Amino acid sequence: MSHDSTAAPESTARKLSGRRRKEIVAVLLFSGGPIFESSIPLSVFGIDRQDAGVPRYRLLVCAGEDGPLRTTGGLELTAPQGLEAISRAGTVVVPAWRSITSPPPEEALDALRRAHEEGARIVGLCTGAFVLAAAGLLDSRPATTHWMYAPTLAKRYPSVHVDPRELFVDDGDVLTSAGTAAGIDLCLHIVRTDHGNEAAGALARRLVVPPRRSGGQERYLDRSLPEEIGADPLAEVVAWALEHLHEQFDVETLAARAYMSRRTFDRRFRSLTGSAPLQWLITQRVLQAQRLLETSDYSVDEVAGRCGFRSPVALRGHFRRQLGSSPAAYRAAYRARRPQSERPVDSDPGGAGAPRPPAPAEPAALSPEGSVPFQTRRTAAPVPAAAGVPGQRSAP
């Protein structure tokens, strides 16, 4: 799923300064950035497709630091413009940043702050969100980035409301996207916002991509413990939870295992993973259900029990909210895409056929990078109470 703002909040609405032009898009490049992410806004905003009904933008490619800029495969790029050209742009896009742990150049951050103050729309694709966060432009705002980097973004910039479920987040004058292809989704959204559905659809046809993608990043989440979380004492509790997802337990159980009060545990857990523990637990159960639906022939009722949900109704509700379909529909669609030889063998009702896969008594560790923080988007509805987590009365 994506978050499309229909109207920018009053607090973020700014009038574009006189020297800036709405149709001018500046793309800010840095050395070490991946070439694919960098090329997305160049292709979307830099090619004249007026013959296809796509209004033309004026593209400025700007170096965020002294060149030449080295990128994927050892290629060297020379940007035709410097930071001073950003002063003319109504939209500034940061398609990538080379390192999620190193600070961007202060001159580039100053240029982004000035652009924002003068009413420009600021866009961060994938790791470009780290540049926006370093400039302070994501403080107290909802944002996303690649699911693999979301915990680091939340930990390094605790005032940012990181939501790794989204393909992109539009918060009015500041927008962020998840990794790689999600950058295309966000750029199409910008064209749709500026010029309407017909223009965005025409551009999507030229790019041979869907005008809108349903779902979010959940289906792509990895299942290994990240190194930085594995070094924290709380990782032992996280590992225990992942190994016992087939059991019914709640966040109070995890807090007790960590010898913390619920309030302290919530704070420490969010600081570590960027996620509220309740929503993280629900997401891990849904991920486990997704895996069982893909690799076994268990009924939906059995899958619910093996993932710690109190009832199939709870599984269906959380599954639909996170993946946009019912468990049965997800399984059918998944199997339709798989070769016959790779599909699980159905059990023989008479007991003479191939046996069912063994029960996953101790599921393999899943990743806290699959974490989902509490809903923080300004226009979104609250996250419903976790009916599938016993003992839970309301979402934190």
Side-chain angles (χ1 to χ4, degrees), residues 297-316:
D297 65 343
Y298 296 126
S299 69
V300 173
D301 288 19
E302 289 174 307
V303 169
R306 291 171 182 271
C307 296
F309 288 105
R310 219 191 292 183
S311 71
V313 173
L315 167 61
R316 289 186 180 97

Side-chain angles (χ1 to χ4, degrees), residues 172-183:
D173 56 351
V174 178
L175 303 87
T176 51
S177 81
T180 313

Side-chain angles (χ1 to χ4, degrees), residues 98-331:
R98 60 175 167 266
S99 171
I100 61 174
T101 57
S102 64
E106 192 59 38
E107 295 82 359
L109 299 182
D110 286 341
L112 287 172
R113 294 184 192 110
R114 283 194 302 272
H116 183 251
E117 289 169 1
E118 294 175 359
R121 176 172 51 189
I122 311 298
V123 181
L125 308 182
C126 194
T127 52
F130 284 81
V131 180
L132 273 57
L137 301 183
L138 298 181
D139 290 352
S140 301
R141 287 179 178 265
T144 194
T145 188
H146 192 294
W147 58 262
M148 186 167 61
Y149 307 128
T152 302
L153 182 64
K155 190 173 182 180
R156 288 178 63 85
Y157 303 100
S159 65
V160 180
H161 305 315
V162 182
D163 189 345
R165 289 174 296 185
E166 302 290 0
L167 290 176
F168 64 84
V169 172
D170 178 347
D171 195 42
D173 56 351
V174 178
L175 303 87
T176 51
S177 81
T180 313
I184 301 176
D185 295 312
L186 179 50
C187 289
L188 283 172
H189 170 72
I190 291 171
V191 174
R192 186 181 304 113
T193 300
D194 290 349
H195 302 292
N197 289 327
E198 189 172 338
L203 176 57
R205 287 191 293 274
R206 279 294 181 95
L207 297 175
V208 198
V209 296
R212 294 177 187 262
R213 281 198 294 164
S214 61
Q217 297 191 74
E218 293 93 343
R219 70 193 71 179
Y220 308 110
L221 301 176
D222 197 1
R223 290 170 162 81
S224 57
L225 284 170
E227 194 172 306
E228 64 180 67
I229 292 178
D232 191 280
L234 204 60
E236 184 177 341
V237 176
V238 170
W240 181 90
L242 294 169
E243 291 171 1
H244 294 79
L245 288 174
H246 57 290
E247 301 177 8
Q248 290 188 9
F249 60 87
D250 56 16
V251 177
E252 280 77 9
T253 300
L254 300 181
R257 292 189 67 87
Y259 302 101
M260 298 178 186
S261 68
R262 171 63 187 271
R263 183 175 180 179
T264 300
F265 180 77
D266 282 4
R267 184 173 63 252
R268 285 280 296 110
F269 193 94
R270 187 185 291 274
S271 171
L272 181 66
T273 69
S275 166
L278 170 64
Q279 199 60 48
W280 177 86
L281 181 58
I282 293 171
T283 298
Q284 298 304 324
R285 294 194 191 283
V286 170
L287 285 169
Q288 177 74 344
Q290 189 179 357
R291 183 166 59 177
L292 289 180
L293 290 167
E294 293 172 355
T295 60
S296 79
D297 65 343
Y298 296 126
S299 69
V300 173
D301 288 19
E302 289 174 307
V303 169
R306 291 171 182 271
C307 296
F309 288 105
R310 219 191 292 183
S311 71
V313 173
L315 167 61
R316 289 186 180 97
H318 290 302
F319 200 95
R320 184 175 291 279
R321 276 189 289 273
Q322 293 197 24
L323 296 177
S325 70
S326 69
Y330 176 86
R331 169 178 272 169

Side-chain angles (χ1 to χ4, degrees), residues 321-386:
R321 276 189 289 273
Q322 293 197 24
L323 296 177
S325 70
S326 69
Y330 176 86
R331 169 178 272 169
Y334 179 84
R335 290 189 175 181
R337 297 191 301 267
R338 304 287 287 178
Q340 185 68 36
S341 60
E342 295 183 17
R343 299 177 190 175
V345 179
D346 289 341
S347 61
D348 185 346
R356 286 189 172 198
E362 294 193 2
L366 308 182
S367 171
E369 291 175 339
S371 60
V372 175
F374 178 68
Q375 184 62 269
T376 54
R377 294 172 295 162
R378 298 179 184 175
T379 60
V383 174

